[in-house]
Structures are given as C-alpha cells and as structure tokens.
Amino acid sequence: GSYEPALYALNQTTGAELWKYTTVDTISGSTFEFANGNIYFTDYGYSGVTRLYAVDLTTHLLVWEYQIPFTTYASANVDDDNDIVYLNFFDQIVAFDADTGAELWSNDLEQGYITQQPTFYGDLLLIGSDRAFSAVNRFTGDLVWQHIIGTAPEIGVGASATVKDGIVYYPTKGD
C-alpha cells in the first residue's frame, strides 16, 4: 500500500508494474491474504468508511467489498480450506463467505481492541485483545472460552498466539 489509494502488483524479477487496483482510501496497516484466486485486504477509511476488498487476481476487478461505517484499522484473515474470510476491527470479528462476501456470523467480544490477527487452531479462532484472550468457534462465532488479562490497553496481547501440544501461548504488552 501507499498514501496513494491503490494496490500495486509488481513483477518480482524486474519490479515492473503488472497491474494496479485503485481503492477508495489509503491502504494502511492492512494484511494481504489470498484464496480462491482473490486477494483480500482493507483500506484505512479516511473518508469515514473502512472497506474490506476481495479483488480477482486474474481480472483485477472487485469481486465484493464489506463496509465498516467508520475509520479504523482492520485486518483480514483467510481460512482457504473452508473458504472463510475473517475480518477483525475494534472488538468485533466477522466471518464472510470468501467467494460471495455473504456474512456468516459476527461476534462483539467486548474486551477492547483486537490487537493481532487471530490464530487458527482446530475449530477455534484464538483472538487477542486489549483486555482478554478469547477462543471463538471459527464456524459459528460462539465464544468457547475467555481469559481476562487486565483492564488497561497497555496490558493487552502483544502478538498472535501459537499452540504446541494443546497449550496456547500468547505474549502480553505490559504488566
């Protein structure tokens, strides 16, 4: 991304521009995910609306978009085995059909800003926020469990979690 509202695709050998997709707003803080021949990413929403885009990698055209009615950092995560795109912003996580953009479910975790991309583990999405670490069923959005970290944003989860031998590990930002 750049402060020009566009996504560029470049040849990795020559650096030549292959194509460009113009967005409504600047792409800032977005992750880029790929599935089903699409690239998924968000803009920042300086206009007052933040967007999740699904752009076809062959035609370079918009397949679908989802609009958040305010300015925010947001990021997308793709489960390409199940054709689901997860969008997290503030304390919300929303799941979409990767092909159509149809909303499958949403969950307001009510524990501060989601600070990192969720981690997939079995049927769970492991989600860190300012005040809690949560496990959500990735197919229904139902809260499975939640570990409260604290009450201040300075404490929250500092990076995405990892799982080894059935134990979830996550770092916090402070004490």
Side-chain angles (χ1 to χ4, degrees):
S2 69
Y3 281 106
E4 175 188 4
L7 171 71
Y8 289 88
L10 307 178
N11 179 290
Q12 71 177 7
T13 304
T14 66
E17 182 178 316
L18 301 173
W19 57 274
K20 175 175 116 175
Y21 182 81
T22 302
T23 57
V24 175
D25 277 309
T26 300
I27 301 168
S28 178
S30 182
T31 55
F32 298 91
E33 296 278 329
F34 299 90
N36 301 346
N38 296 327
I39 183 171
Y40 303 87
F41 61 95
T42 59
D43 67 19
Y44 182 65
Y46 286 108
S47 67
V49 176
T50 301
R51 290 167 178 81
L52 166 62
Y53 298 88
V55 175
D56 186 288
L57 292 168
T58 302
T59 66
H60 319 138
L61 298 175
L62 182 68
V63 177
W64 58 266
E65 79 173 35
Y66 175 78
Q67 296 183 2
I68 303 167
F70 45 83
T71 300
T72 185
Y73 284 107
S75 66
N77 229 21
V78 174
D79 174 357
D80 54 357
D81 290 336
N82 295 293
D83 297 327
I84 301 173
V85 177
Y86 300 96
L87 175 68
N88 60 276
F89 59 95
F90 286 133
D91 56 359
Q92 303 272 328
I93 185 142
V94 184
F96 301 93
D97 179 286
D99 293 321
T100 66
E103 185 175 316
L104 303 174
W105 57 261
S106 67
N107 189 324
D108 180 346
L109 296 174
E110 300 178 359
Q111 292 297 333
Y113 295 110
I114 296 173
T115 54
Q116 305 297 326
Q117 270 195 310
T119 299
F120 300 128
Y121 183 69
D123 288 351
L124 300 177
L125 280 177
L126 303 174
I127 304 165
S129 68
D130 286 341
R131 297 191 278 292
F133 191 83
S134 306
V136 171
N137 181 299
R138 69 194 232 191
F139 303 109
T140 66
D142 294 334
L143 182 66
V144 176
W145 55 261
Q146 195 167 65
H147 176 78
I148 303 300
I149 299 168
T151 58
E154 298 80 27
I155 295 174
V157 175
S160 295
T162 191
V163 181
K164 176 74 173 152
D165 298 327
I167 299 172
V168 178
Y169 300 90
Y170 71 89
T172 58
K173 297 187 288 186
D175 50 37

Coordinates of all heavy atoms in Angstrom, one line a residue, residues 22-107:
T22 N -7.2 0.6 -7.8 CA -7.4 1.8 -7.1 C -8.5 1.6 -6.1 O -9.6 1.1 -6.4 CB -7.8 2.9 -8.1 OG1 -6.8 3.1 -9.0 CG2 -8.0 4.2 -7.3
T23 N -8.2 2.0 -4.8 CA -9.1 1.8 -3.7 C -9.7 3.2 -3.4 O -9.3 4.2 -3.9 CB -8.4 1.3 -2.5 OG1 -7.3 2.2 -2.1 CG2 -7.9 -0.1 -2.7
V24 N -10.7 3.2 -2.5 CA -11.4 4.5 -2.1 C -10.5 5.3 -1.2 O -10.3 6.5 -1.4 CB -12.7 4.2 -1.5 CG1 -13.3 5.5 -0.9 CG2 -13.7 3.5 -2.4
D25 N -9.8 4.6 -0.3 CA -8.9 5.2 0.7 C -7.6 4.6 0.7 O -7.4 3.5 0.2 CB -9.6 5.2 2.1 CG -10.6 6.3 2.3 OD1 -10.2 7.5 2.0 OD2 -11.7 6.0 2.7
T26 N -6.7 5.2 1.4 CA -5.3 4.7 1.6 C -5.3 3.3 2.3 O -6.1 3.1 3.2 CB -4.5 5.7 2.5 OG1 -4.5 6.9 1.8 CG2 -3.1 5.2 2.7
I27 N -4.4 2.5 1.8 CA -4.2 1.2 2.4 C -3.1 1.4 3.5 O -2.0 1.7 3.2 CB -3.8 0.1 1.4 CG1 -4.9 0.0 0.3 CG2 -3.5 -1.2 2.1 CD1 -4.4 -0.8 -0.9
S28 N -3.5 1.2 4.8 CA -2.6 1.4 5.8 C -2.8 0.4 6.9 O -3.9 0.3 7.5 CB -2.8 2.9 6.4 OG -1.9 3.1 7.5
G29 N -1.8 -0.3 7.3 CA -1.9 -1.3 8.4 C -2.6 -2.6 7.9 O -3.0 -3.4 8.8
S30 N -2.9 -2.8 6.7 CA -3.6 -3.9 6.2 C -2.7 -5.2 6.1 O -1.5 -5.0 5.8 CB -4.3 -3.7 4.9 OG -5.0 -4.8 4.4
T31 N -3.3 -6.3 6.2 CA -2.6 -7.6 5.8 C -3.2 -7.9 4.5 O -4.2 -7.5 4.1 CB -3.0 -8.7 6.8 OG1 -4.4 -8.8 6.9 CG2 -2.4 -8.4 8.2
F32 N -2.5 -8.8 3.8 CA -2.9 -9.2 2.4 C -3.0 -10.7 2.5 O -2.0 -11.4 2.9 CB -1.9 -8.8 1.4 CG -1.8 -7.3 1.3 CD1 -0.9 -6.6 2.0 CD2 -2.7 -6.6 0.5 CE1 -0.8 -5.2 2.0 CE2 -2.6 -5.2 0.4 CZ -1.7 -4.5 1.2
E33 N -4.2 -11.2 2.1 CA -4.4 -12.7 2.2 C -4.9 -13.1 0.8 O -5.6 -12.4 0.1 CB -5.5 -13.0 3.2 CG -5.1 -12.6 4.6 CD -4.2 -13.7 5.3 OE1 -4.4 -14.9 4.9 OE2 -3.4 -13.4 6.1
F34 N -4.7 -14.4 0.5 CA -5.0 -14.9 -0.8 C -5.8 -16.2 -0.7 O -5.5 -17.0 0.2 CB -3.8 -15.3 -1.7 CG -2.9 -14.1 -1.9 CD1 -1.9 -13.7 -1.0 CD2 -3.1 -13.3 -3.0 CE1 -1.1 -12.6 -1.3 CE2 -2.3 -12.2 -3.3 CZ -1.3 -11.9 -2.4
A35 N -6.9 -16.4 -1.5 CA -7.7 -17.6 -1.6 C -8.6 -17.5 -2.8 O -9.0 -16.4 -3.2 CB -8.5 -17.8 -0.3
N36 N -8.8 -18.7 -3.4 CA -9.8 -18.8 -4.5 C -9.6 -17.8 -5.6 O -10.5 -17.3 -6.2 CB -11.2 -18.6 -3.9 CG -11.6 -19.6 -2.9 OD1 -10.9 -20.6 -2.7 ND2 -12.7 -19.4 -2.2
G37 N -8.3 -17.5 -5.9 CA -8.0 -16.6 -7.0 C -8.2 -15.1 -6.6 O -8.2 -14.3 -7.5
N38 N -8.4 -14.8 -5.4 CA -8.6 -13.4 -4.9 C -7.6 -13.0 -4.0 O -6.9 -13.8 -3.3 CB -10.0 -13.3 -4.2 CG -11.2 -13.6 -5.1 OD1 -11.1 -13.3 -6.3 ND2 -12.2 -14.1 -4.5
I39 N -7.4 -11.7 -3.9 CA -6.6 -11.0 -2.8 C -7.6 -10.3 -1.9 O -8.5 -9.6 -2.4 CB -5.5 -10.2 -3.3 CG1 -4.6 -9.6 -2.2 CG2 -6.0 -9.0 -4.2 CD1 -3.3 -8.9 -2.6
Y40 N -7.4 -10.4 -0.6 CA -8.3 -9.7 0.4 C -7.4 -8.8 1.2 O -6.4 -9.1 1.7 CB -8.9 -10.8 1.3 CG -9.7 -11.8 0.6 CD1 -9.1 -13.0 0.1 CD2 -11.0 -11.7 0.4 CE1 -9.8 -14.0 -0.6 CE2 -11.8 -12.7 -0.3 CZ -11.1 -13.8 -0.8 OH -11.8 -14.7 -1.5
F41 N -7.9 -7.5 1.4 CA -7.2 -6.5 2.1 C -8.2 -5.4 2.5 O -9.3 -5.4 2.0 CB -6.0 -6.0 1.3 CG -6.5 -5.3 0.0 CD1 -6.7 -3.9 0.0 CD2 -6.7 -6.0 -1.1 CE1 -7.1 -3.3 -1.2 CE2 -7.1 -5.4 -2.3 CZ -7.3 -4.0 -2.3
T42 N -7.7 -4.5 3.4 CA -8.6 -3.4 3.9 C -7.9 -2.1 3.6 O -6.7 -2.0 3.4 CB -8.8 -3.5 5.4 OG1 -7.6 -3.5 6.1 CG2 -9.6 -4.8 5.8
D43 N -8.7 -1.0 3.5 CA -8.2 0.3 3.4 C -8.4 0.9 4.8 O -8.9 0.3 5.7 CB -8.8 1.2 2.3 CG -10.3 1.5 2.5 OD1 -10.8 1.4 3.6 OD2 -10.9 1.9 1.5
Y44 N -7.9 2.1 5.0 CA -7.9 2.7 6.4 C -9.2 3.5 6.6 O -9.7 3.7 7.7 CB -6.7 3.6 6.6 CG -6.8 4.2 8.0 CD1 -6.7 3.4 9.1 CD2 -7.0 5.6 8.2 CE1 -6.7 3.9 10.4 CE2 -7.1 6.1 9.5 CZ -6.9 5.3 10.6 OH -7.0 5.8 11.9
G45 N -9.9 3.9 5.6 CA -11.2 4.6 5.7 C -11.1 6.0 6.1 O -12.0 6.5 6.9
Y46 N -10.2 6.8 5.6 CA -10.1 8.2 5.9 C -11.4 9.0 5.6 O -11.8 10.0 6.1 CB -9.0 8.9 5.2 CG -7.6 8.6 5.8 CD1 -6.7 7.7 5.2 CD2 -7.3 9.1 7.1 CE1 -5.5 7.4 5.7 CE2 -6.0 8.8 7.6 CZ -5.2 8.0 7.0 OH -4.0 7.6 7.5
S47 N -12.2 8.4 4.6 CA -13.4 9.0 4.2 C -14.6 8.8 5.2 O -15.6 9.4 5.0 CB -13.9 8.4 2.8 OG -14.2 7.1 3.0
G48 N -14.3 8.0 6.2 CA -15.3 7.7 7.2 C -15.9 6.3 7.1 O -16.7 5.9 7.9
V49 N -15.5 5.6 6.0 CA -15.9 4.2 5.8 C -14.6 3.4 5.5 O -13.9 3.7 4.6 CB -16.9 4.1 4.6 CG1 -17.2 2.7 4.4 CG2 -18.1 4.9 4.9
T50 N -14.4 2.3 6.3 CA -13.3 1.4 6.1 C -13.8 0.2 5.3 O -14.9 -0.2 5.6 CB -12.7 0.9 7.4 OG1 -12.2 2.1 8.2 CG2 -11.5 0.0 7.2
R51 N -13.1 -0.2 4.3 CA -13.5 -1.3 3.4 C -12.6 -2.5 3.5 O -11.4 -2.4 3.5 CB -13.6 -0.8 2.0 CG -14.7 0.3 1.8 CD -14.6 1.0 0.5 NE -15.6 1.9 0.3 CZ -15.7 3.1 0.8 NH1 -14.7 3.6 1.5 NH2 -16.7 3.9 0.6
L52 N -13.3 -3.7 3.4 CA -12.6 -4.9 3.1 C -12.9 -5.2 1.6 O -14.0 -5.2 1.2 CB -13.2 -6.1 4.0 CG -12.8 -7.5 3.6 CD1 -11.3 -7.8 3.7 CD2 -13.6 -8.5 4.5
Y53 N -11.8 -5.4 0.9 CA -11.9 -5.7 -0.6 C -11.6 -7.2 -0.8 O -10.6 -7.7 -0.3 CB -10.9 -4.9 -1.3 CG -11.1 -3.4 -1.2 CD1 -10.4 -2.7 -0.2 CD2 -11.8 -2.7 -2.1 CE1 -10.6 -1.3 -0.1 CE2 -12.0 -1.3 -2.1 CZ -11.3 -0.6 -1.0 OH -11.5 0.8 -0.9
A54 N -12.3 -7.7 -1.8 CA -11.9 -9.0 -2.4 C -11.7 -8.7 -3.9 O -12.7 -8.3 -4.6 CB -13.0 -10.0 -2.3
V55 N -10.5 -8.8 -4.4 CA -10.2 -8.4 -5.8 C -9.7 -9.7 -6.5 O -8.8 -10.4 -6.0 CB -9.1 -7.3 -5.8 CG1 -8.7 -7.0 -7.3 CG2 -9.7 -6.0 -5.2
D56 N -10.2 -9.9 -7.7 CA -9.8 -11.1 -8.5 C -8.4 -10.9 -9.0 O -8.1 -9.8 -9.6 CB -10.8 -11.2 -9.7 CG -10.6 -12.5 -10.5 OD1 -9.6 -12.5 -11.2 OD2 -11.4 -13.4 -10.4
L57 N -7.5 -11.9 -8.9 CA -6.2 -11.8 -9.3 C -6.0 -11.9 -10.8 O -4.9 -11.5 -11.3 CB -5.3 -12.8 -8.6 CG -5.1 -12.6 -7.1 CD1 -4.5 -13.9 -6.4 CD2 -4.3 -11.4 -6.8
T58 N -7.0 -12.4 -11.5 CA -6.9 -12.5 -13.0 C -7.5 -11.3 -13.7 O -6.8 -10.7 -14.6 CB -7.6 -13.8 -13.4 OG1 -7.0 -14.9 -12.8 CG2 -7.5 -14.0 -14.9
T59 N -8.7 -10.9 -13.3 CA -9.3 -9.8 -13.9 C -9.0 -8.5 -13.3 O -9.2 -7.4 -13.9 CB -10.9 -9.9 -13.9 OG1 -11.3 -9.8 -12.5 CG2 -11.3 -11.3 -14.5
H60 N -8.5 -8.5 -12.1 CA -8.1 -7.3 -11.3 C -9.3 -6.4 -11.0 O -9.2 -5.2 -10.8 CB -7.0 -6.4 -12.0 CG -6.0 -7.3 -12.7 ND1 -5.5 -7.0 -13.9 CD2 -5.4 -8.4 -12.2 CE1 -4.6 -8.0 -14.2 NE2 -4.5 -8.8 -13.2
L61 N -10.5 -7.1 -10.9 CA -11.7 -6.4 -10.7 C -12.2 -6.8 -9.3 O -11.9 -7.8 -8.7 CB -12.8 -6.8 -11.7 CG -12.5 -6.4 -13.1 CD1 -13.6 -6.9 -14.1 CD2 -12.4 -4.8 -13.3
L62 N -13.0 -5.9 -8.7 CA -13.6 -6.1 -7.4 C -14.6 -7.3 -7.5 O -15.5 -7.3 -8.4 CB -14.4 -4.8 -6.9 CG -15.0 -4.9 -5.5 CD1 -13.9 -5.0 -4.5 CD2 -15.9 -3.7 -5.3
V63 N -14.5 -8.2 -6.6 CA -15.4 -9.3 -6.5 C -16.5 -9.0 -5.5 O -17.7 -9.1 -5.8 CB -14.7 -10.6 -6.1 CG1 -15.7 -11.8 -5.9 CG2 -13.6 -11.0 -7.1
W64 N -16.1 -8.5 -4.3 CA -17.1 -8.0 -3.3 C -16.3 -7.1 -2.4 O -15.1 -7.1 -2.3 CB -17.8 -9.1 -2.6 CG -17.0 -10.1 -1.9 CD1 -16.5 -11.3 -2.4 CD2 -16.5 -10.1 -0.5 NE1 -15.8 -12.0 -1.5 CE2 -15.8 -11.3 -0.3 CE3 -16.6 -9.1 0.5 CZ2 -15.2 -11.5 0.9 CZ3 -16.0 -9.4 1.7 CH2 -15.3 -10.6 1.9
E65 N -17.1 -6.3 -1.6 CA -16.5 -5.5 -0.5 C -17.5 -5.4 0.6 O -18.7 -5.6 0.5 CB -16.1 -4.1 -1.0 CG -17.3 -3.1 -1.1 CD -16.8 -1.7 -1.4 OE1 -15.8 -1.5 -2.2 OE2 -17.5 -0.8 -0.9
Y66 N -16.9 -5.2 1.8 CA -17.7 -5.0 3.0 C -17.3 -3.7 3.6 O -16.1 -3.3 3.6 CB -17.4 -6.1 4.0 CG -18.1 -6.0 5.4 CD1 -19.4 -6.3 5.5 CD2 -17.4 -5.5 6.5 CE1 -20.0 -6.1 6.7 CE2 -18.0 -5.3 7.7 CZ -19.3 -5.6 7.8 OH -20.0 -5.5 9.0
Q67 N -18.3 -2.9 4.0 CA -18.0 -1.6 4.5 C -18.2 -1.5 6.1 O -19.3 -1.9 6.5 CB -18.9 -0.5 3.8 CG -18.6 -0.4 2.4 CD -19.4 0.6 1.7 OE1 -20.2 1.3 2.3 NE2 -19.2 0.8 0.4
I68 N -17.2 -1.0 6.8 CA -17.4 -0.7 8.2 C -17.7 0.8 8.2 O -16.9 1.6 7.7 CB -16.0 -0.9 8.9 CG1 -15.6 -2.4 8.8 CG2 -16.1 -0.6 10.4 CD1 -14.2 -2.7 9.2
P69 N -18.7 1.3 8.9 CA -19.2 2.7 8.8 C -18.4 3.7 9.6 O -18.9 4.6 10.1 CB -20.6 2.6 9.2 CG -20.7 1.5 10.2 CD -19.7 0.5 9.7
F70 N -17.1 3.5 9.7 CA -16.2 4.4 10.4 C -14.8 4.1 10.1 O -14.4 3.1 9.5 CB -16.4 4.4 12.0 CG -16.5 3.0 12.5 CD1 -15.3 2.3 12.8 CD2 -17.7 2.4 12.8 CE1 -15.3 1.0 13.4 CE2 -17.7 1.1 13.3 CZ -16.6 0.4 13.6
T71 N -13.9 5.0 10.5 CA -12.5 4.9 10.2 C -11.8 4.0 11.2 O -12.0 4.3 12.4 CB -11.8 6.3 10.2 OG1 -12.4 7.1 9.2 CG2 -10.3 6.2 9.9
T72 N -11.1 3.0 10.8 CA -10.4 2.1 11.8 C -9.4 1.3 11.1 O -9.4 1.1 9.9 CB -11.4 1.2 12.5 OG1 -10.8 0.4 13.4 CG2 -12.1 0.2 11.5
Y73 N -8.4 0.8 11.9 CA -7.5 -0.2 11.3 C -8.3 -1.5 11.4 O -8.9 -1.8 12.4 CB -6.2 -0.3 12.2 CG -5.3 0.8 11.9 CD1 -5.1 1.8 12.9 CD2 -4.5 0.8 10.7 CE1 -4.1 2.8 12.6 CE2 -3.6 1.8 10.5 CZ -3.4 2.8 11.4 OH -2.5 3.8 11.2
A74 N -8.2 -2.3 10.3 CA -8.8 -3.6 10.3 C -7.9 -4.5 9.5 O -7.1 -4.1 8.7 CB -10.2 -3.5 9.6
S75 N -8.0 -5.8 9.8 CA -7.2 -6.8 9.0 C -8.1 -8.0 8.7 O -9.0 -8.4 9.4 CB -6.0 -7.2 9.7 OG -6.2 -7.9 10.9
A76 N -7.7 -8.7 7.6 CA -8.4 -9.9 7.2 C -7.5 -11.1 7.4 O -6.3 -11.0 7.3 CB -8.8 -9.7 5.7
N77 N -8.2 -12.2 7.6 CA -7.5 -13.5 7.8 C -8.3 -14.5 6.9 O -9.5 -14.4 7.0 CB -7.6 -13.9 9.2 CG -6.3 -14.4 9.8 OD1 -5.3 -14.1 9.4 ND2 -6.5 -15.1 10.9
V78 N -7.7 -15.3 6.1 CA -8.4 -16.2 5.3 C -8.1 -17.7 5.7 O -7.0 -18.1 5.8 CB -8.0 -16.0 3.8 CG1 -8.6 -17.0 2.9 CG2 -8.3 -14.6 3.3
D79 N -9.2 -18.4 5.8 CA -9.2 -19.8 6.0 C -9.5 -20.4 4.6 O -10.7 -20.6 4.3 CB -10.2 -20.2 7.1 CG -10.4 -21.7 7.2 OD1 -9.7 -22.5 6.5 OD2 -11.2 -22.1 8.1
D80 N -8.5 -20.7 3.8 CA -8.8 -21.1 2.5 C -9.2 -22.6 2.4 O -9.8 -23.0 1.4 CB -7.6 -20.8 1.5 CG -6.3 -21.4 2.0 OD1 -6.2 -22.0 3.1 OD2 -5.3 -21.3 1.3
D81 N -9.0 -23.4 3.4 CA -9.5 -24.7 3.5 C -11.1 -24.7 3.5 O -11.7 -25.7 3.1 CB -9.0 -25.5 4.6 CG -7.5 -25.9 4.4 OD1 -7.0 -25.9 3.3 OD2 -6.8 -26.1 5.5
N82 N -11.6 -23.7 4.2 CA -13.1 -23.7 4.4 C -13.7 -22.5 3.7 O -14.9 -22.2 3.9 CB -13.4 -23.6 5.9 CG -13.0 -24.9 6.6 OD1 -13.5 -25.9 6.3 ND2 -12.0 -24.8 7.4
D83 N -13.0 -21.7 2.9 CA -13.5 -20.6 2.1 C -14.1 -19.5 3.0 O -15.2 -19.1 2.7 CB -14.4 -21.1 1.0 CG -13.7 -21.9 0.0 OD1 -12.6 -21.7 -0.3 OD2 -14.4 -22.8 -0.6
I84 N -13.5 -19.2 4.1 CA -14.0 -18.2 5.0 C -13.0 -17.1 5.2 O -11.8 -17.3 5.3 CB -14.3 -18.8 6.4 CG1 -15.3 -19.9 6.3 CG2 -14.8 -17.7 7.4 CD1 -15.6 -20.7 7.6
V85 N -13.4 -15.8 5.1 CA -12.6 -14.6 5.4 C -13.0 -14.1 6.7 O -14.2 -13.9 6.9 CB -12.7 -13.6 4.3 CG1 -11.9 -12.3 4.6 CG2 -12.3 -14.1 2.9
Y86 N -12.1 -13.9 7.6 CA -12.4 -13.3 8.9 C -11.9 -11.8 8.9 O -10.7 -11.6 8.5 CB -11.7 -14.0 10.1 CG -12.2 -15.5 10.1 CD1 -11.4 -16.5 9.5 CD2 -13.3 -15.8 10.8 CE1 -11.8 -17.8 9.5 CE2 -13.8 -17.1 10.8 CZ -13.0 -18.1 10.2 OH -13.4 -19.4 10.2
L87 N -12.7 -10.9 9.4 CA -12.3 -9.5 9.5 C -12.4 -9.1 10.9 O -13.4 -9.3 11.6 CB -13.3 -8.6 8.7 CG -13.1 -7.1 8.8 CD1 -11.8 -6.7 8.1 CD2 -14.3 -6.4 8.1
N88 N -11.3 -8.5 11.5 CA -11.3 -8.0 12.8 C -11.1 -6.5 12.9 O -10.2 -6.0 12.1 CB -10.3 -8.8 13.8 CG -8.9 -8.7 13.4 OD1 -8.4 -9.4 12.5 ND2 -8.2 -7.7 14.0
F89 N -11.9 -5.9 13.7 CA -11.7 -4.4 13.9 C -12.4 -4.1 15.2 O -13.3 -4.7 15.6 CB -12.4 -3.6 12.8 CG -13.9 -3.9 12.6 CD1 -14.8 -3.1 13.1 CD2 -14.3 -5.0 11.8 CE1 -16.2 -3.4 13.0 CE2 -15.6 -5.3 11.6 CZ -16.6 -4.5 12.2
F90 N -11.8 -3.1 15.9 CA -12.2 -2.8 17.3 C -12.3 -4.1 18.1 O -11.4 -4.9 18.1 CB -13.5 -2.0 17.4 CG -13.3 -0.5 17.0 CD1 -14.1 0.1 16.1 CD2 -12.2 0.2 17.5 CE1 -14.0 1.4 15.7 CE2 -12.0 1.5 17.1 CZ -12.9 2.1 16.2
D91 N -13.5 -4.4 18.7 CA -13.6 -5.6 19.4 C -14.5 -6.6 18.7 O -15.1 -7.5 19.2 CB -14.2 -5.4 20.8 CG -15.5 -4.6 20.9 OD1 -16.0 -4.3 19.8 OD2 -16.0 -4.4 21.9
Q92 N -14.6 -6.4 17.4 CA -15.5 -7.2 16.5 C -14.7 -8.2 15.7 O -13.6 -7.9 15.2 CB -16.3 -6.4 15.5 CG -17.1 -5.3 16.1 CD -18.5 -5.8 16.4 OE1 -19.0 -6.6 15.8 NE2 -19.0 -5.2 17.5
I93 N -15.3 -9.4 15.4 CA -14.8 -10.3 14.4 C -16.0 -10.7 13.6 O -17.0 -11.0 14.2 CB -14.0 -11.5 15.0 CG1 -13.4 -12.3 13.9 CG2 -14.7 -12.3 16.0 CD1 -12.0 -12.8 14.1
V94 N -15.8 -10.7 12.3 CA -16.9 -11.0 11.4 C -16.4 -12.0 10.4 O -15.2 -11.9 9.9 CB -17.4 -9.8 10.6 CG1 -18.6 -10.1 9.7 CG2 -17.7 -8.6 11.6
A95 N -17.2 -13.1 10.1 CA -16.8 -14.1 9.1 C -17.6 -14.0 7.9 O -18.9 -13.7 7.9 CB -17.0 -15.5 9.7
F96 N -17.0 -14.1 6.7 CA -17.7 -14.0 5.4 C -17.4 -15.2 4.5 O -16.3 -15.8 4.7 CB -17.1 -12.8 4.6 CG -17.3 -11.5 5.4 CD1 -16.3 -11.0 6.2 CD2 -18.4 -10.7 5.2 CE1 -16.4 -9.8 6.8 CE2 -18.6 -9.5 5.9 CZ -17.6 -9.0 6.7
D97 N -18.3 -15.5 3.7 CA -18.0 -16.5 2.6 C -17.0 -15.9 1.7 O -17.2 -14.7 1.2 CB -19.3 -16.8 1.8 CG -19.1 -17.8 0.7 OD1 -18.5 -17.4 -0.3 OD2 -19.6 -18.9 0.9
A98 N -15.9 -16.5 1.5 CA -14.8 -16.0 0.7 C -15.2 -15.7 -0.8 O -14.6 -14.7 -1.4 CB -13.6 -16.9 0.7
D99 N -16.1 -16.5 -1.3 CA -16.5 -16.3 -2.7 C -17.5 -15.2 -2.9 O -17.4 -14.4 -3.9 CB -17.0 -17.6 -3.3 CG -16.0 -18.7 -3.4 OD1 -14.8 -18.3 -3.8 OD2 -16.3 -19.8 -3.2
T100 N -18.5 -15.1 -2.0 CA -19.6 -14.2 -2.3 C -19.6 -12.9 -1.4 O -20.3 -11.9 -1.7 CB -20.9 -14.9 -2.0 OG1 -21.0 -15.2 -0.6 CG2 -21.0 -16.1 -2.9
G101 N -18.9 -13.0 -0.2 CA -18.9 -11.9 0.7 C -20.1 -11.9 1.6 O -20.3 -11.0 2.5
A102 N -20.9 -13.0 1.5 CA -22.0 -13.1 2.4 C -21.6 -13.2 3.9 O -20.7 -14.0 4.2 CB -22.9 -14.3 2.1
E103 N -22.1 -12.4 4.8 CA -21.8 -12.5 6.2 C -22.3 -13.8 6.8 O -23.4 -14.2 6.7 CB -22.3 -11.4 7.0 CG -21.9 -11.3 8.4 CD -22.3 -10.1 9.2 OE1 -22.2 -9.0 8.6 OE2 -22.8 -10.3 10.3
L104 N -21.4 -14.6 7.4 CA -21.7 -15.9 8.0 C -22.1 -15.7 9.5 O -23.0 -16.3 10.0 CB -20.6 -16.9 7.9 CG -20.1 -17.1 6.4 CD1 -18.9 -18.0 6.4 CD2 -21.3 -17.8 5.6
W105 N -21.3 -14.9 10.2 CA -21.6 -14.6 11.6 C -20.7 -13.4 12.0 O -19.8 -13.0 11.4 CB -21.3 -15.8 12.5 CG -19.9 -16.4 12.5 CD1 -19.6 -17.5 11.7 CD2 -18.7 -15.9 13.1 NE1 -18.2 -17.8 11.9 CE2 -17.7 -16.8 12.8 CE3 -18.5 -14.9 14.0 CZ2 -16.4 -16.7 13.2 CZ3 -17.2 -14.7 14.4 CH2 -16.2 -15.6 14.1
S106 N -21.1 -12.8 13.2 CA -20.2 -11.8 13.8 C -20.3 -11.9 15.3 O -21.2 -12.5 15.8 CB -20.7 -10.4 13.4 OG -21.9 -10.1 13.9
N107 N -19.2 -11.4 16.0 CA -19.1 -11.5 17.4 C -18.5 -10.3 17.9 O -17.4 -9.9 17.5 CB -18.3 -12.8 17.8 CG -18.4 -13.0 19.3 OD1 -18.4 -12.1 20.1 ND2 -18.4 -14.3 19.7

